[in-house]
Amino acid sequence: LDTLPMTAPVVVLLGLRASGKSSAGRRAADALKVPFIDLDELVAHRSRCEFPAAALAKLGLGGFREAERRALELAVDQCRLTG
């Protein structure tokens, strides 16, 4: 994740499933007036699935976690580029 210079702060929320990360992230992004990226939604989209649960079923847990890792790298790089 350190391949590009940081041009803007990036906040990543980590936590257990269904712990409110997406809701908190949306509220924080709105308050800070910055973009919000939901990794589960990004993984679903990149997996050509309508919902994250469908992506999980399609990819399996290991595949989903790997897709999440790649999506996080993509999201952070995108934020760094658009700052």
Side-chain angles (χ1 to χ4, degrees), residues 25-60:
R26 281 187 185 91
R27 286 193 306 274
D30 186 50
L32 296 169
K33 301 194 181 343
V34 296
F36 171 75
I37 300 169
D38 187 314
L39 285 187
D40 288 346
E41 305 257 340
L42 183 55
V43 168
H45 175 75
R46 291 174 53 98
S47 302
R48 300 175 196 246
C49 294
E50 192 171 348
F51 302 105
L56 179 59
K58 178 179 180 179
L59 302 172

Side-chain angles (χ1 to χ4, degrees), residues 1 11-22 24-25 39 68 72:
L1 296 178
V11 177
V12 177
L13 301 179
L14 304 172
L16 299 173
R17 279 187 351 186
S19 62
K21 297 177 300 292
S22 294
L39 285 187
E68 255 182 340
L72 177 59

